[in-house]
Amino acid sequence: MARSLLLGVLLMWPGAALAQQAQAATDQARAFLVNGGPTLWVIAALSVVTLTLILWKTWRLVLMGAWTSRHSLKAVALFENGDASAAQNVVKGRRSIRSSVVHAALQAIDTLPEANAREETTRAAKAQLAQARTGLGALELISTIAPLLGLLGTVLGMIAAFQALQAAGSRADPALLAGGIWEALLTTAAGMAVAIPASAALTWFEAVIDKLRRDLEDSATRLFVADRPKKIRLAAE
């Protein structure tokens, strides 16, 4: 009696209820994976890869300072005001993409002819943008193949369902066909569920990198436009 009462109290405890719900969700997910076949397992693995890529790429962009422009803008403003030394000190050692490219441009302007300095600035900007784009190819691939894998699983499931229906002959049960169809459609839904967030994240990352590219072009243009009058005055002297 006491044991039954204790069991009832434990079942009513919020933690126990949450544990039961988690267990039920786990069992349901396992059943879906089993019913969906090998294709659904592949899509489930892709979902883990997609989530990992999105989190890693977001963290990577944060470390690269994709949303930080204060120091680079300050350095460009100082250079435009004629204080090249202070401008270099502002961005020296900074890890952000904008600051790295501005620092490379300032050093190139200080040590190279203008044509060579422009080439060096372009090279530095392309290298930084290439690093920023790392991982986007994998997201693009996942957003493309996930729906196709889902469609493949659906087609294979439909084939299996109709084969079972044919084998049953005159004793065929329509419920058997209906069950095979909904199980096959699980892979299509799963493929879309993976492809949609992957495509959305890819679009967002590309927008962030495109904004970076525009900012780098703007900073480089301002630096070289500001540098040009100095060289003209030196030539006149």
Side-chain angles (χ1 to χ4, degrees):
M1 180 69 179
R3 182 177 302 176
S4 300
L5 183 60
L6 179 61
L7 181 60
V9 171
L10 289 176
L11 290 177
M12 292 174 63
W13 193 259
L18 290 176
Q20 286 182 342
Q21 292 178 0
Q23 183 62 40
T26 302
D27 294 339
Q28 187 177 12
R30 186 181 297 111
F32 280 157
L33 290 174
V34 171
N35 293 332
T39 306
L40 194 57
W41 284 95
V42 175
I43 295 174
L46 281 180
S47 68
V48 176
V49 174
T50 301
L51 179 60
T52 304
L53 277 173
I54 292 174
L55 294 177
W56 171 80
K57 191 62 188 175
T58 303
W59 179 244
R60 176 72 174 168
L61 288 175
V62 170
L63 291 179
M64 297 180 73
W67 294 277
T68 303
S69 59
R70 179 167 59 91
H71 293 95
S72 60
L73 292 176
K74 182 178 179 181
V76 172
L78 286 171
F79 186 81
E80 288 176 332
N81 292 330
D83 197 346
S85 178
Q88 290 198 33
N89 290 332
V90 168
V91 292
K92 185 177 181 180
R94 298 285 177 183
R95 298 178 58 183
S96 70
I97 293 179
R98 295 177 179 87
S99 295
S100 298
V101 174
V102 169
H103 185 253
L106 290 172
Q107 285 187 321
I109 290 172
D110 187 46
T111 58
L112 299 173
E114 182 174 343
N116 294 343
R118 288 180 180 274
E119 292 295 328
E120 176 60 21
T121 302
T122 301
R123 184 201 64 80
K126 287 182 177 180
Q128 292 290 336
L129 289 175
Q131 289 186 8
R133 292 191 62 85
T134 302
L136 296 190
L139 275 178
E140 184 176 6
L141 179 63
I142 290 173
S143 64
T144 301
I145 67 173
L148 296 179
L149 284 173
L151 183 60
L152 175 62
T154 296
V155 171
L156 293 177
M158 294 287 288
I159 291 174
F162 279 108
Q163 284 179 338
L165 188 64
Q166 182 183 16
S170 59
R171 297 176 288 104
D173 184 3
L176 178 65
L177 179 61
I181 291 175
W182 80 259
E183 289 177 1
L185 290 175
L186 280 176
T187 57
T188 297
M192 291 181 178
V194 173
I196 290 172
S199 180
L202 177 63
T203 302
W204 178 53
F205 289 140
E206 287 181 340
V208 171
I209 295 173
D210 188 57
K211 176 67 165 55
L212 274 173
R213 180 185 57 80
R214 293 196 305 269
D215 289 348
L216 294 179
E217 290 177 352
D218 179 72
S219 296
T221 300
R222 289 175 61 185
L223 289 175
F224 283 102
V225 168
D227 184 58
R228 190 176 302 158
K230 297 180 182 180
K231 293 186 178 297
I232 293 174
R233 286 197 299 270
L234 288 174
E237 292 174 358

